[in-house]
Amino acid sequence: MATAPKTATATIDNGRSQSGFAAALKKALLSALVALVLFSLMIGVRTEAGSTGQLIYWTRFTELAGVVAAVFAGSLILELLRSWLGPFDAAGLIPASAEQPLKTAQRLFPLALLAFTLVFPVIFYDQRYILDLGILVLTYVMLGWGLNVVVGLAGLLDLGYVAFYAVGAYSYALLATTFGLSFWICLPLAGILAAFWGVLLGFPVLRLKGDYLAIVTLAFGEIIRLVLINWQSLTGGPNGITGVPRPSFFGIPLTPGDDGFAARFGLEFSPTHRVVFLYYLILALALLTNWVTIRLRRLPIGRAWEAMREDEVACRALGINITTTKLTAFATGAMFGGFAGAFFATRQGFISPESFTFHESALVLAIVVLGGMGSQLGVALAALVMIGGFELFRDFEQYRMLVFGLAMVALMVWRPRGLVGHREATVFLHHRTEISAELSREGRG
Amino acid sequence: MAYFSQQLINGLVLGSIYGLIAIGYTMVYGIVGMINFAHGDIFMIGGFVALITFLILVSIGLTFVPVILLLVLLVAMAMTALYGWSVERIAYRPLRHSFRLAPMLSAIGMSFALTNFAQVAQGARVKPVPPIVTGGYSLFERDGFVVQLSNIQIIVVITTLVLLALFTWLVSRTRLGRDMRACEQDQTMAALLGVDVDRTISMTFVIGAALAAVAGMMYLLYYGLVDFFMGFVAGIKAFTAAVLGGIGSLPGAMLGGLSIGLIETMWSAYFSVEYKDVAAFSILIVVLIFLPTGLLGRPEVEKV
Amino acid sequence: MSAVPASTAAPDDILAVSGLTMRFGGIVAINDLSFTARRGQISALIGPNGAGKTTVFNCITGFYKPTAGDIRLTHADGKGYVLQTLNDFRICKVAKVARTFQNIRLFPGLTALENLMVAQHNALMRASGFTLMGLLGMPGWRAAEKAALDLSSYWLDRIGLYDRADEAAGNLPYGDQRRLEIARAMCTEPALLCLDEPAAGLNARESGELNELLLSIRNDRGASILLIEHDMSVVMEISDHVTVLDYGVRIAGGTPQHVRDDPKVIAAYLGTDEETAIAVMEGT
């Protein structure tokens, strides 16, 4: 796709715009024609089961015309932009003089972001919806950081990450409802159980590479979900588990009663207390994930993960045990997923298998890849973009997945290497280095 | 025994449908090395296009069933093929030489978009059709159980066999097939020797989508309904079939499809319907542990 | 064992290969091969293309399981290892055999320094208390990390890449990558260093530098080196002992001088490639 616009820009100005316009028009017409054929039946004809069960249909030619016109216009604009601006080049947009201040900004940005997340509940104290959205985004940040260990660092493609999220959520829900254990005891247990399942999944897939690994992890995720649906006596089946205990403020319940948080601290009871507490809880969990990951990267185990992503054969030749290296990556990633799951269960108060579909796995994987594999900051930004963007389409509920899917395609085509396209070296002799992701391999596992 | 024979027939029919979808996965994987996640949804689109074409043909007064079936088949194949072509053009071609995860994510995005597109365009409710092909044969009876072979089952199996034969011929005997095999081995070298790589890859997607459309139509005829979500589960199972058979291998895809179909039916018949998918996926995992490249896949030799 | 420097002492065998046979399906890649490598010396395995040299290497370093035969390694302290019974990563971890690859296998996205740190994985794993102590930042771990950095710096300095320590390995010039791979193997503190065509793709100057590096590794550290090589100038200049392989069979062995004059060796090389044959005969 790169050559055509380049030759167009090489010709002289006058001729360029003219021939560019003609070519763009031609392409747009062609796109519109294809769209017309594609949508003629799917949009032009609407089917529905009638009152007697008999299938009826009616035509919708105006809608069809509208969509085809939209494709024509969109394609024309895109082609014109492409021929006028030339191939999009992010590097060319930044003048050389701005590079140094930009680098400083880059250093300060994560700190500013962190400061913002810390004061976030104070700013939006009265806006329950925004607080909830913040919690949601942070949950996905945490999931993204957890999966990043497996996919970004170790280079193991995991399409069933949601399974560990589910294990964590159900572990907490079951332990809390049947044994009455508190959240703070269940949280580590949920993490351990999820890690255990991570190892359990890890064993059979040790020898698998690339897409075989992807499909087996996907199958694993589906198996867990199907078992959750069908093992009614334990999991409540499709109805899920209700009445999952809400978290307490380190033993003090966040309820309006006399021994509740508000009464003890002499505050007026407000349901917002709990939301704010949940916000800080997930923030703390996410930051813990981040801190552990950053530490692990600088330890031999983390370096072995990254080395394994780069070249498994070379790792073996250096005496690195690939089996344990893979299993620890799976277990670590799964553990964080389990923590997030326990949090999800306590936040919702209700869980069902519906929350743990392949869609969730894909969403988290998209966050990791869009973030730029292995970059902590990138993952956080991607979670914000994806979940935030998703929320913007809340009012267009039925078009949400359509837009989300197309956005995923567009983002990948635009930035296949993700938002932050470099990895930071874990150790240095002279100066910190950032290595372009172009050099990194993505792992074959 | 009679019950078993009946399940065997049902399993083979279901397996044929999976096999037809699996071929699309296996071909695309063989040539561009990526899982075409949107392929299950292409199958779903094929089902919808077949359904709508059928409705239109009936309403304009066609009554002769073989003609209807043939026309529906042709329209569904052609139109779904165009979907396959467009998906490759929009979501995969720009990412062809990118790193491995980008096309996969793009494919997952495309899959979501297609599912939701069908939901928005045609509504979320299941679309039932009255049985189009009726009748069949009673093969034999034992212990009061009659083993049935319906006409539609015969059509599904025969169509699959014919397509498989046609397709094997295409890949092994024609210019296009040779180009495909060349691209599979080494795209750069193929391009240097005058193979139009872009066109060959496009054709692979077109053929895969056309076969998925046939599967979609067969599904419609066999089960008498389509819905926007059917692509996901069928897609995963068909991909499972492709992997089980050994990805990149055409007979493997068919063999894998039949295995998955049989496992699913037998499990439902003798154990529990609820866990049929669990059985299919578990067997996939077990097979891959012992045969990491599937039943008929070429073993991957690691060059050191 | 006495403490006499290995290069002057009567050398004993560090590696003894006997009856090594490797079949791939019906093809016999190596047939009943026996040879030894002496401690503290540079031993070379040469032969025309397709003679089975890399296969021998892959058997020694555990990437292939030999069909038959015995590969024994003896450390200086007398401890013996039967290599074909060890798992691939244990050959490096336990038996201390390190290797490089014919087509360089660095970690291209990691820096040169990180590549060397990865090579010290096992030592660092122990020091980090299998991650837990390291996670908590215990002083023992900090000291071990410092020591590992020092060792890495030492090797970076030795191969002349100290200034480029923080550059991505994949960005380094080809010759530097070759040397970095050798340094990485040395960071595992091997008893035996196996080099698969270390001079491949190097120009004359780089090849000369490589010779110096290998000789210094042998002389300063008393390391034992086994190498496969096509470049005869490397083989003839630095090898203490040469084994010649053709069609998976050992056809000659001895000092470089001795091998060079062996008519069987000349015939083997003449049969494939005249230039190499002349190079063997003239010892260039």
Side-chain angles (χ1 to χ4, degrees), chain A residues 315-324, chain C residues 60-63 65 73 75 81-98 122:
Chain A
C315 278
R316 280 154 60 191
L318 294 173
I320 295 174
N321 185 344
I322 290 294
T323 307
T324 52
Chain C
I60 294 173
T61 51
F63 284 93
K65 282 269 166 271
L73 185 91
H75 281 182
Y81 300 91
V82 185
L83 295 189
Q84 78 271 17
T85 61
L86 287 178
N87 255 344
D88 50 6
F89 79 93
R90 288 207 177 80
I91 288 185
C92 177
K93 187 182 175 181
V94 180
K96 294 276 167 206
V97 178
N122 288 314

Side-chain angles (χ1 to χ4, degrees), chain C residues 119-195:
Chain C
Q120 300 172 59
H121 177 79
N122 288 314
L124 285 175
M125 260 324 238
R126 277 190 298 279
S128 71
F130 298 91
T131 303
L132 202 64
M133 314 249 283
L135 206 56
L136 301 173
M138 296 290 194
W141 155 249
R142 284 172 196 281
E145 196 186 23
K146 175 83 177 44
L149 274 173
D150 288 345
L151 183 66
S152 305
S153 308
Y154 167 80
W155 279 109
L156 284 167
D157 192 38
R158 278 291 287 274
I159 59 172
L161 282 179
Y162 187 80
D163 292 336
R164 309 187 76 168
D166 297 324
E167 280 181 41
N171 265 350
L172 295 173
Y174 190 81
D176 289 348
Q177 292 198 18
R178 279 255 175 241
R179 288 202 309 281
L180 182 60
E181 207 192 8
I182 295 172
R184 188 180 68 178
M186 285 309 292
C187 277
T188 66
E189 311 254 85
L192 177 68
L193 174 66
C194 299
L195 305 173

Side-chain angles (χ1 to χ4, degrees), chain A residues 38 42 45-47 57 60 157 204 207 211-212 215 218 230 313 358 366 398-399 402 405 416-417 442-443, chain B residues 29 59 83 95 98-101 105-106 109 113 116 120-122 127 232 236 239 243 247 274 288-289 292 302:
Chain A
L38 285 181
M42 286 301 284
V45 179
R46 174 74 154 87
T47 55
Y57 77 93
R60 292 185 302 188
L157 187 47
R207 287 165 62 200
D211 298 296
Y212 289 96
I215 197 70
L218 194 160
N230 290 308
V313 169
F358 170 66
Q398 55 167 338
Y399 297 100
L402 180 62
R417 282 288 183 175
E442 63 215 287
Chain B
Y29 192 89
S59 76
Y83 271 92
L95 291 170
S98 183
F99 83 144
R100 182 168 55 101
L101 277 178
L105 261 286
S106 181
N116 197 227
V120 170
Q122 295 295 328
K127 315 277 177 216
F232 177 67
I236 293 187
F239 186 72
V243 172
I247 207 154
E274 291 84 28
L288 284 182
I289 294 169
E302 182 127 41

Side-chain angles (χ1 to χ4, degrees), chain C residues 47-110:
Chain C
N49 276 331
K53 303 182 299 281
T54 299
T55 309
V56 174
F57 250 45
N58 284 339
C59 287
I60 294 173
T61 51
F63 284 93
Y64 293 160
K65 282 269 166 271
T67 318
D70 201 32
I71 308 166
R72 276 171 197 281
L73 185 91
T74 318
H75 281 182
D77 60 8
K79 251 195 202 140
Y81 300 91
V82 185
L83 295 189
Q84 78 271 17
T85 61
L86 287 178
N87 255 344
D88 50 6
F89 79 93
R90 288 207 177 80
I91 288 185
C92 177
K93 187 182 175 181
V94 180
K96 294 276 167 206
V97 178
R99 73 170 288 179
T100 65
F101 295 90
Q102 198 169 334
N103 28 16
I104 305 170
R105 276 179 174 266
L106 286 168
F107 306 118
L110 308 188

